[in-house]
Coordinates of all heavy atoms in Angstrom, one line a residue:
M27 N 86.0 67.8 -43.4 CA 86.8 67.0 -44.3 C 87.0 67.8 -45.7 O 86.0 68.3 -46.2 CB 86.2 65.7 -44.6 CG 87.1 64.7 -45.4 SD 86.1 63.3 -46.1 CE 85.5 62.5 -44.6
H28 N 88.2 67.8 -46.2 CA 88.5 68.4 -47.4 C 88.0 67.5 -48.6 O 88.3 66.3 -48.5 CB 89.9 68.8 -47.6 CG 90.4 69.9 -46.7 ND1 89.9 71.2 -46.8 CD2 91.2 69.9 -45.6 CE1 90.5 71.9 -45.9 NE2 91.2 71.1 -45.2
I29 N 87.5 68.0 -49.6 CA 87.0 67.2 -50.7 C 88.2 66.4 -51.3 O 88.0 65.3 -51.7 CB 86.3 68.1 -51.8 CG1 85.6 67.2 -52.8 CG2 87.3 69.1 -52.5 CD1 84.3 66.7 -52.4
D30 N 89.4 67.0 -51.4 CA 90.5 66.3 -52.0 C 91.0 65.1 -51.2 O 91.7 64.3 -51.7 CB 91.7 67.3 -52.4 CG 92.3 68.0 -51.2 OD1 91.7 67.8 -50.1 OD2 93.2 68.8 -51.4
T31 N 90.6 65.0 -50.0 CA 91.0 63.8 -49.2 C 90.2 62.6 -49.6 O 90.6 61.5 -49.3 CB 90.9 64.0 -47.7 OG1 89.5 64.3 -47.4 CG2 91.7 65.2 -47.2
I32 N 89.1 62.8 -50.3 CA 88.3 61.6 -50.6 C 88.5 61.2 -52.1 O 87.9 60.3 -52.6 CB 86.8 61.8 -50.3 CG1 86.2 63.0 -51.0 CG2 86.6 61.9 -48.8 CD1 84.7 63.1 -50.9
I33 N 89.3 62.0 -52.8 CA 89.6 61.6 -54.2 C 90.9 60.9 -54.3 O 92.0 61.4 -53.9 CB 89.8 62.9 -55.1 CG1 88.4 63.6 -55.2 CG2 90.2 62.4 -56.6 CD1 88.5 64.9 -55.9
P34 N 90.9 59.6 -54.7 CA 92.2 58.8 -54.7 C 93.2 59.5 -55.6 O 92.9 60.0 -56.6 CB 91.8 57.5 -55.3 CG 90.3 57.4 -55.2 CD 89.8 58.8 -55.2
A35 N 94.4 59.5 -55.2 CA 95.5 60.2 -55.9 C 95.6 59.9 -57.3 O 95.8 60.6 -58.2 CB 96.8 60.1 -55.2
D36 N 95.4 58.6 -57.6 CA 95.6 58.1 -59.0 C 94.4 58.5 -59.9 O 94.4 58.3 -61.1 CB 95.8 56.6 -59.0 CG 94.6 55.8 -58.5 OD1 93.7 56.4 -57.9 OD2 94.7 54.6 -58.7
L37 N 93.4 59.2 -59.3 CA 92.3 59.7 -60.2 C 92.4 61.2 -60.4 O 91.6 61.8 -61.0 CB 91.0 59.3 -59.6 CG 90.7 57.8 -59.7 CD1 89.3 57.6 -59.1 CD2 90.7 57.2 -61.1
D38 N 93.5 61.8 -59.8 CA 93.6 63.3 -59.9 C 93.6 63.8 -61.3 O 93.1 64.8 -61.7 CB 94.9 63.7 -59.3 CG 94.7 64.0 -57.8 OD1 93.6 63.8 -57.3 OD2 95.7 64.4 -57.2
W39 N 94.2 63.0 -62.2 CA 94.3 63.4 -63.7 C 93.0 63.6 -64.3 O 92.9 64.4 -65.2 CB 95.2 62.3 -64.4 CG 94.5 61.0 -64.5 CD1 94.7 59.9 -63.6 CD2 93.6 60.5 -65.4 NE1 94.0 58.9 -63.9 CE2 93.2 59.1 -65.1 CE3 92.9 61.0 -66.5 CZ2 92.4 58.4 -65.7 CZ3 92.1 60.3 -67.3 CH2 91.7 59.0 -66.9
Q40 N 92.0 62.9 -63.8 CA 90.6 63.0 -64.4 C 90.1 64.4 -64.2 O 89.3 64.9 -65.0 CB 89.7 61.9 -63.8 CG 90.1 60.6 -64.3 CD 89.0 59.5 -64.0 OE1 88.1 59.8 -63.2 NE2 89.2 58.3 -64.5
A41 N 90.5 65.1 -63.2 CA 90.0 66.5 -63.0 C 90.5 67.4 -64.0 O 89.9 68.4 -64.3 CB 90.4 67.0 -61.6
Q42 N 91.7 67.1 -64.7 CA 92.3 67.8 -65.7 C 92.1 67.3 -67.1 O 92.6 67.8 -68.1 CB 93.8 68.1 -65.5 CG 94.0 68.9 -64.2 CD 95.5 68.8 -63.9 OE1 96.3 69.2 -64.7 NE2 95.8 68.3 -62.7
A43 N 91.3 66.2 -67.2 CA 91.1 65.6 -68.5 C 90.3 66.5 -69.4 O 89.3 67.1 -69.0 CB 90.3 64.3 -68.2
L44 N 90.8 66.6 -70.7 CA 90.1 67.4 -71.6 C 88.7 66.9 -72.0 O 87.8 67.7 -72.1 CB 91.0 67.4 -72.9 CG 91.1 68.8 -73.6 CD1 91.4 69.9 -72.7 CD2 92.2 68.7 -74.7
C45 N 88.5 65.6 -71.9 CA 87.3 65.0 -72.3 C 86.2 65.3 -71.2 O 85.1 65.4 -71.5 CB 87.4 63.6 -72.5 SG 88.1 62.6 -71.2
A46 N 86.7 65.7 -70.0 CA 85.7 66.0 -69.0 C 85.0 67.3 -69.3 O 83.9 67.6 -68.8 CB 86.4 66.1 -67.6
Q47 N 85.7 68.2 -70.1 CA 85.1 69.5 -70.5 C 84.3 69.3 -71.8 O 83.5 70.2 -72.0 CB 86.3 70.4 -70.7 CG 87.0 70.8 -69.4 CD 88.4 71.3 -69.7 OE1 88.6 72.1 -70.6 NE2 89.3 70.8 -68.8
T48 N 84.6 68.3 -72.6 CA 83.9 68.3 -73.9 C 82.7 67.3 -73.8 O 81.9 67.3 -74.7 CB 84.9 67.8 -75.0 OG1 85.3 66.5 -74.6 CG2 86.0 68.7 -75.2
G49 N 82.6 66.5 -72.8 CA 81.5 65.5 -72.7 C 82.0 64.2 -73.2 O 82.9 64.1 -74.0
A50 N 81.3 63.1 -72.8 CA 81.8 61.8 -73.1 C 81.3 61.2 -74.4 O 81.8 60.3 -74.9 CB 81.3 60.9 -72.0
D51 N 80.4 61.9 -75.1 CA 79.8 61.4 -76.4 C 80.9 61.0 -77.4 O 80.8 59.9 -78.0 CB 78.9 62.4 -77.0 CG 77.7 62.7 -76.2 OD1 77.6 62.0 -75.1 OD2 76.8 63.4 -76.5
F52 N 81.9 61.9 -77.6 CA 82.9 61.5 -78.6 C 83.7 60.3 -78.2 O 84.1 59.6 -79.1 CB 84.0 62.6 -78.7 CG 83.4 63.9 -79.3 CD1 83.6 65.1 -78.7 CD2 82.7 63.9 -80.5 CE1 83.2 66.3 -79.2 CE2 82.2 65.1 -81.0 CZ 82.5 66.3 -80.3
F53 N 83.8 60.0 -76.9 CA 84.7 59.0 -76.5 C 84.1 57.6 -76.4 O 84.7 56.6 -76.3 CB 85.3 59.4 -75.1 CG 86.1 60.6 -75.3 CD1 85.6 61.9 -75.2 CD2 87.5 60.5 -75.5 CE1 86.3 63.0 -75.4 CE2 88.3 61.6 -75.7 CZ 87.7 62.9 -75.7
F54 N 82.8 57.6 -76.5 CA 82.0 56.3 -76.4 C 81.1 56.3 -77.7 O 79.9 56.3 -77.5 CB 81.3 56.1 -75.1 CG 82.2 56.0 -74.0 CD1 82.5 57.1 -73.2 CD2 82.8 54.8 -73.7 CE1 83.3 57.1 -72.1 CE2 83.7 54.8 -72.6 CZ 83.9 55.9 -71.8
P55 N 81.7 56.3 -78.9 CA 80.8 56.4 -80.0 C 80.1 55.1 -80.3 O 80.4 54.0 -79.8 CB 81.9 56.6 -81.2 CG 83.1 56.1 -80.7 CD 83.1 56.2 -79.2
E56 N 79.1 55.2 -81.1 CA 78.3 54.0 -81.5 C 79.2 53.1 -82.2 O 80.1 53.6 -82.9 CB 77.1 54.4 -82.4 CG 76.0 55.3 -81.8 CD 75.3 54.5 -80.7 OE1 74.9 53.3 -81.0 OE2 75.1 55.0 -79.6
P57 N 79.0 51.8 -82.2 CA 79.8 50.8 -82.9 C 79.9 51.2 -84.3 O 78.9 51.4 -85.0 CB 79.2 49.5 -82.7 CG 78.4 49.7 -81.4 CD 78.0 51.1 -81.4
G58 N 81.1 51.2 -84.8 CA 81.3 51.5 -86.2 C 81.4 53.0 -86.6 O 81.9 53.3 -87.7
S59 N 81.2 53.9 -85.6 CA 81.3 55.3 -86.0 C 82.7 55.8 -85.7 O 83.4 55.1 -85.0 CB 80.2 56.2 -85.3 OG 80.3 56.0 -83.9
S60 N 82.9 57.0 -86.1 CA 84.3 57.5 -86.1 C 84.8 57.9 -84.7 O 84.1 58.4 -83.9 CB 84.4 58.8 -87.0 OG 85.7 59.2 -86.9
V61 N 86.1 57.6 -84.4 CA 86.7 58.0 -83.2 C 87.7 59.1 -83.5 O 88.4 59.4 -82.5 CB 87.4 56.7 -82.5 CG1 86.4 55.7 -82.1 CG2 88.5 56.2 -83.4
R62 N 87.6 59.6 -84.7 CA 88.6 60.6 -85.0 C 88.6 61.9 -84.1 O 89.6 62.4 -83.7 CB 88.4 61.0 -86.5 CG 89.6 61.8 -87.0 CD 89.7 61.8 -88.5 NE 88.4 61.8 -89.2 CZ 88.2 62.3 -90.4 NH1 89.1 62.8 -91.1 NH2 87.0 62.2 -90.9
E63 N 87.4 62.3 -83.8 CA 87.2 63.5 -83.0 C 87.8 63.3 -81.6 O 88.4 64.1 -81.0 CB 85.7 64.0 -83.0 CG 85.5 65.3 -82.3 CD 86.2 66.5 -83.0 OE1 86.7 66.4 -84.1 OE2 86.3 67.5 -82.3
A64 N 87.4 62.1 -81.1 CA 88.0 61.8 -79.7 C 89.4 61.8 -79.7 O 90.1 62.3 -78.9 CB 87.4 60.4 -79.3
K65 N 90.0 61.2 -80.7 CA 91.5 61.1 -80.8 C 92.1 62.5 -81.0 O 93.2 62.8 -80.5 CB 91.9 60.3 -82.0 CG 91.7 58.8 -81.7 CD 92.2 58.0 -82.9 CE 92.3 56.6 -82.5 NZ 93.0 55.8 -83.5
R66 N 91.4 63.4 -81.7 CA 91.9 64.7 -81.9 C 92.0 65.4 -80.5 O 93.0 66.1 -80.2 CB 91.0 65.5 -82.8 CG 91.6 66.8 -83.3 CD 90.6 67.5 -84.3 NE 89.4 68.0 -83.6 CZ 89.4 69.1 -82.9 NH1 90.5 69.9 -82.9 NH2 88.3 69.5 -82.3
I67 N 91.0 65.2 -79.7 CA 91.0 65.9 -78.4 C 92.0 65.3 -77.5 O 92.7 66.0 -76.8 CB 89.6 65.8 -77.8 CG1 88.5 66.6 -78.7 CG2 89.6 66.3 -76.4 CD1 87.1 66.3 -78.3
C68 N 92.2 63.9 -77.5 CA 93.2 63.3 -76.8 C 94.6 63.8 -77.1 O 95.5 64.0 -76.3 CB 93.2 61.8 -77.0 SG 91.8 60.9 -76.4
G69 N 94.8 64.2 -78.4 CA 96.0 64.6 -78.9 C 96.4 66.0 -78.3 O 97.6 66.4 -78.2
M70 N 95.4 66.7 -77.7 CA 95.7 68.0 -77.1 C 95.7 67.9 -75.5 O 95.9 68.9 -74.9 CB 94.6 69.0 -77.6 CG 94.6 69.3 -79.0 SD 93.5 70.5 -79.5 CE 91.9 69.8 -79.1
C71 N 95.5 66.7 -75.0 CA 95.2 66.5 -73.6 C 96.5 66.2 -72.9 O 97.2 65.3 -73.3 CB 94.2 65.4 -73.4 SG 94.0 64.9 -71.7
E72 N 96.8 66.9 -71.9 CA 98.1 66.7 -71.1 C 98.0 65.5 -70.3 O 99.1 65.0 -69.8 CB 98.4 67.9 -70.3 CG 98.8 69.1 -71.1 CD 99.1 70.4 -70.2 OE1 99.2 70.1 -68.9 OE2 99.2 71.5 -70.7
M73 N 96.8 65.0 -70.0 CA 96.7 63.8 -69.2 C 96.7 62.5 -69.9 O 96.6 61.4 -69.3 CB 95.3 63.9 -68.4 CG 95.2 65.1 -67.5 SD 96.5 65.1 -66.2 CE 97.4 66.5 -66.7
R74 N 97.1 62.6 -71.2 CA 97.0 61.4 -72.0 C 97.8 60.2 -71.5 O 97.3 59.0 -71.5 CB 97.5 61.8 -73.4 CG 97.3 60.7 -74.4 CD 97.5 61.2 -75.8 NE 97.9 60.2 -76.7 CZ 98.2 60.4 -78.0 NH1 98.3 61.6 -78.5 NH2 98.5 59.4 -78.7
P75 N 99.1 60.3 -71.0 CA 99.8 59.1 -70.5 C 99.1 58.5 -69.3 O 99.0 57.3 -69.2 CB 101.2 59.7 -70.2 CG 101.3 60.9 -71.0 CD 100.0 61.5 -71.1
A76 N 98.7 59.4 -68.4 CA 98.0 58.8 -67.2 C 96.7 58.1 -67.5 O 96.4 57.1 -67.0 CB 97.7 60.0 -66.2
C77 N 96.0 58.7 -68.5 CA 94.7 58.2 -69.0 C 94.9 56.8 -69.6 O 94.2 55.9 -69.2 CB 94.1 59.1 -70.0 SG 92.7 58.6 -70.7
L78 N 95.9 56.7 -70.4 CA 96.1 55.4 -71.1 C 96.6 54.4 -70.1 O 96.1 53.2 -70.1 CB 97.2 55.6 -72.2 CG 97.5 54.3 -73.0 CD1 96.3 53.8 -73.7 CD2 98.6 54.6 -74.0
E79 N 97.4 54.8 -69.2 CA 97.9 53.9 -68.1 C 96.7 53.3 -67.3 O 96.6 52.1 -67.0 CB 98.9 54.6 -67.2 CG 99.5 53.8 -66.1 CD 100.5 52.9 -66.6 OE1 101.1 53.1 -67.6 OE2 100.7 51.9 -65.9
Y80 N 95.8 54.2 -66.9 CA 94.7 53.9 -66.2 C 93.8 52.9 -66.9 O 93.4 51.9 -66.4 CB 93.8 55.1 -65.8 CG 92.5 54.9 -65.1 CD1 92.5 54.8 -63.7 CD2 91.4 54.7 -65.8 CE1 91.3 54.5 -63.1 CE2 90.2 54.4 -65.2 CZ 90.2 54.3 -63.8 OH 89.0 54.1 -63.2
A81 N 93.5 53.1 -68.2 CA 92.7 52.3 -69.0 C 93.3 50.9 -69.2 O 92.6 49.9 -69.0 CB 92.5 52.9 -70.4
L82 N 94.6 50.9 -69.3 CA 95.3 49.5 -69.4 C 95.2 48.7 -68.1 O 95.0 47.6 -68.0 CB 96.7 49.7 -69.9 CG 96.8 50.2 -71.3 CD1 98.3 50.5 -71.7 CD2 96.3 49.3 -72.4
Q83 N 95.5 49.5 -67.1 CA 95.5 48.8 -65.7 C 94.1 48.4 -65.3 O 94.0 47.4 -64.6 CB 96.0 49.8 -64.7 CG 97.5 49.8 -64.6 CD 98.1 50.8 -63.6 OE1 97.3 51.3 -62.8 NE2 99.4 50.9 -63.6
N84 N 93.1 49.1 -65.7 CA 91.7 48.8 -65.3 C 91.0 48.0 -66.4 O 89.8 47.7 -66.2 CB 91.0 50.0 -64.8 CG 91.6 50.6 -63.5 OD1 91.3 50.2 -62.5 ND2 92.5 51.5 -63.7
D85 N 91.7 47.6 -67.4 CA 91.1 46.8 -68.4 C 89.8 47.4 -68.9 O 88.8 46.7 -69.0 CB 90.8 45.4 -67.8 CG 90.8 44.4 -69.0 OD1 91.3 44.7 -70.0 OD2 90.3 43.3 -68.7
E86 N 89.9 48.8 -69.2 CA 88.7 49.4 -69.8 C 88.5 49.0 -71.2 O 89.4 49.1 -72.0 CB 88.9 51.0 -69.8 CG 89.0 51.6 -68.4 CD 87.6 51.6 -67.8 OE1 86.6 51.3 -68.4 OE2 87.5 52.0 -66.6
R87 N 87.4 48.3 -71.5 CA 87.2 47.8 -72.8 C 86.5 48.7 -73.8 O 86.5 48.5 -75.0 CB 86.3 46.5 -72.6 CG 87.0 45.4 -71.9 CD 88.0 44.7 -72.7 NE 89.0 43.9 -72.0 CZ 88.9 42.6 -71.8 NH1 87.9 41.9 -72.3 NH2 89.7 42.0 -71.0
F88 N 85.7 49.7 -73.3 CA 84.9 50.5 -74.2 C 85.4 51.9 -74.3 O 85.8 52.5 -73.3 CB 83.5 50.4 -73.8 CG 83.0 49.0 -73.8 CD1 82.7 48.4 -72.5 CD2 82.7 48.3 -74.9 CE1 82.3 47.0 -72.5 CE2 82.3 47.0 -74.9 CZ 82.1 46.4 -73.7
G89 N 85.3 52.4 -75.5 CA 85.6 53.8 -75.7 C 87.0 54.2 -76.0 O 87.9 53.3 -76.0
V90 N 87.3 55.5 -76.3 CA 88.7 55.9 -76.5 C 89.3 56.4 -75.2 O 88.6 57.2 -74.5 CB 88.6 57.1 -77.6 CG1 90.0 57.7 -77.7 CG2 88.1 56.6 -78.9
W91 N 90.4 55.9 -74.9 CA 91.2 56.3 -73.7 C 92.6 56.6 -74.1 O 93.2 55.8 -74.8 CB 91.2 55.2 -72.6 CG 89.9 54.9 -72.0 CD1 88.8 54.2 -72.5 CD2 89.4 55.2 -70.7 NE1 87.8 54.1 -71.6 CE2 88.2 54.7 -70.5 CE3 90.1 55.9 -69.6 CZ2 87.5 54.9 -69.3 CZ3 89.4 56.1 -68.4 CH2 88.1 55.5 -68.3
G92 N 93.1 57.7 -73.6 CA 94.5 58.0 -73.9 C 94.8 58.0 -75.4 O 96.0 57.7 -75.8
G93 N 93.9 58.4 -76.2 CA 94.1 58.5 -77.6 C 94.0 57.1 -78.4 O 94.3 57.2 -79.6
L94 N 93.8 56.1 -77.7 CA 93.6 54.8 -78.4 C 92.2 54.2 -78.3 O 91.6 54.3 -77.3 CB 94.6 53.8 -77.8 CG 96.1 54.1 -77.9 CD1 96.9 53.0 -77.3 CD2 96.6 54.5 -79.3
S95 N 91.8 53.7 -79.4 CA 90.5 53.0 -79.5 C 90.6 51.7 -78.7 O 91.7 51.2 -78.4 CB 90.1 52.8 -80.9 OG 91.0 51.8 -81.5
E96 N 89.5 51.1 -78.5 CA 89.5 49.8 -77.8 C 90.3 48.7 -78.5 O 91.0 47.9 -77.9 CB 88.1 49.3 -77.5 CG 87.1 49.3 -78.6 CD 85.7 49.6 -78.2 OE1 85.4 50.5 -77.4 OE2 84.9 48.7 -78.6
K97 N 90.2 48.8 -79.9 CA 90.9 47.8 -80.7 C 92.5 48.1 -80.6 O 93.3 47.1 -80.4 CB 90.5 47.9 -82.1 CG 90.8 46.8 -83.0 CD 90.1 46.9 -84.3 CE 90.9 46.2 -85.3 NZ 90.9 46.8 -86.6
E98 N 92.8 49.4 -80.6 CA 94.3 49.7 -80.5 C 94.9 49.3 -79.1 O 96.0 48.9 -79.1 CB 94.5 51.2 -80.8 CG 94.2 51.5 -82.3 CD 94.1 53.0 -82.5 OE1 93.7 53.8 -81.6 OE2 94.3 53.4 -83.6
R99 N 94.0 49.5 -78.1 CA 94.5 49.1 -76.7 C 94.7 47.6 -76.6 O 95.6 47.2 -76.1 CB 93.6 49.6 -75.7 CG 93.6 51.1 -75.5 CD 93.1 51.5 -74.2 NE 91.7 51.0 -73.9 CZ 90.6 51.5 -74.4 NH1 90.6 52.5 -75.3 NH2 89.4 50.9 -74.2
L100 N 93.8 46.9 -77.3 CA 93.9 45.5 -77.3 C 95.2 45.0 -78.0 O 95.9 44.1 -77.5 CB 92.7 44.9 -78.1 CG 92.3 43.4 -77.7 CD1 91.9 43.3 -76.3 CD2 91.2 43.0 -78.6
E101 N 95.5 45.7 -79.1 CA 96.7 45.3 -79.8 C 98.0 45.7 -79.0 O 99.0 45.0 -78.9 CB 96.8 46.0 -81.2 CG 95.9 45.3 -82.2 CD 95.6 46.3 -83.4 OE1 96.2 47.3 -83.6 OE2 94.6 45.9 -84.2
L102 N 97.9 46.8 -78.4 CA 99.0 47.2 -77.5 C 99.2 46.2 -76.4 O 100.4 45.9 -76.1 CB 98.6 48.7 -76.9 CG 99.8 49.3 -76.1 CD1 101.0 49.7 -76.9 CD2 99.2 50.6 -75.4
R103 N 98.2 45.8 -75.8 CA 98.3 44.8 -74.7 C 98.9 43.5 -75.2 O 99.7 42.9 -74.5 CB 96.9 44.6 -74.1 CG 96.9 44.5 -72.6 CD 95.5 44.2 -72.0 NE 94.8 45.4 -71.8 CZ 93.5 45.6 -72.3 NH1 92.9 44.6 -72.9 NH2 92.8 46.7 -72.0
R104 N 98.5 43.1 -76.4 CA 99.0 41.9 -77.0 C 100.5 42.0 -77.2 O 101.2 41.0 -77.0 CB 98.3 41.6 -78.3 CG 97.1 40.8 -78.1 CD 96.7 40.1 -79.4 NE 95.3 39.9 -79.5 CZ 94.5 40.5 -80.4 NH1 95.1 41.3 -81.3 NH2 93.3 40.3 -80.4
T105 N 100.9 43.2 -77.7 CA 102.4 43.3 -78.0 C 103.2 43.5 -76.9 O 104.4 43.4 -76.9 CB 102.6 44.4 -79.1 OG1 102.0 45.6 -78.6 CG2 101.9 44.1 -80.4
T106 N 102.7 44.0 -75.7 CA 103.5 44.4 -74.6 C 103.5 43.3 -73.5 O 104.2 43.5 -72.5 CB 103.1 45.7 -74.0 OG1 101.8 45.8 -73.7 CG2 103.5 46.9 -75.0
H107 N 102.6 42.3 -73.6 CA 102.5 41.3 -72.6 C 102.9 40.0 -73.1 O 102.9 39.7 -74.2 CB 101.0 41.3 -72.0 CG 100.7 42.4 -71.2 ND1 100.9 42.5 -69.8 CD2 100.2 43.6 -71.5 CE1 100.6 43.7 -69.3 NE2 100.1 44.4 -70.3
Ligands
SF4_11 S1 93.6 61.4 -73.2 FE1 91.6 61.6 -74.1 S2 90.3 60.2 -73.1 FE2 92.1 60.5 -71.8 S3 91.7 62.1 -70.4 FE3 92.6 63.1 -72.2 S4 91.0 63.6 -73.6 FE4 90.1 62.2 -72.1

């Protein structure tokens, strides 16, 4: 069996995620600490649209996804639904 047959297609983007190379620490900061560094990395990440879409669809509550903090995603969800 090829390894890629067991990775769901909609998770392919994670293999190219910039944060996978930098480590998760920036993306799940302690409450109240800065998300600026995570957002800076997201800004250079080609997978950003797929990442944000995934986070919204899966209702990811914690951390920075697709360049948005959990609070910003909540606001986005409120204004688009
Ligand atoms: S947009 Fe940000 S959180 Fe999403 S995959 Fe890229 S670097 Fe990671």
Side-chain angles (χ1 to χ4, degrees):
M27 188 195 295
H28 293 290
I29 189 81
D30 58 358
T31 60
I32 58 169
I33 299 174
D36 63 350
L37 291 181
D38 273 1
W39 62 269
Q40 291 190 349
Q42 293 172 60
L44 218 49
C45 55
Q47 294 156 41
T48 60
D51 291 1
F52 292 131
F53 295 85
F54 296 96
E56 293 294 315
S59 60
S60 176
V61 295
R62 196 162 30 157
E63 187 60 14
K65 287 183 165 194
R66 193 180 69 80
I67 296 169
C68 292
M70 298 184 292
C71 177
E72 289 180 12
M73 297 300 115
R74 191 170 155 184
C77 175
L78 182 58
E79 180 74 26
Y80 175 87
L82 293 173
Q83 276 180 6
N84 291 278
D85 204 16
E86 291 287 355
R87 293 284 161 99
F88 302 104
V90 173
W91 290 76
L94 298 185
S95 68
E96 48 209 53
K97 198 167 152 221
E98 289 166 336
R99 288 197 309 281
L100 204 63
E101 281 164 14
L102 183 67
R103 221 181 274 129
R104 272 205 208 109
T105 55
T106 54
H107 288 270

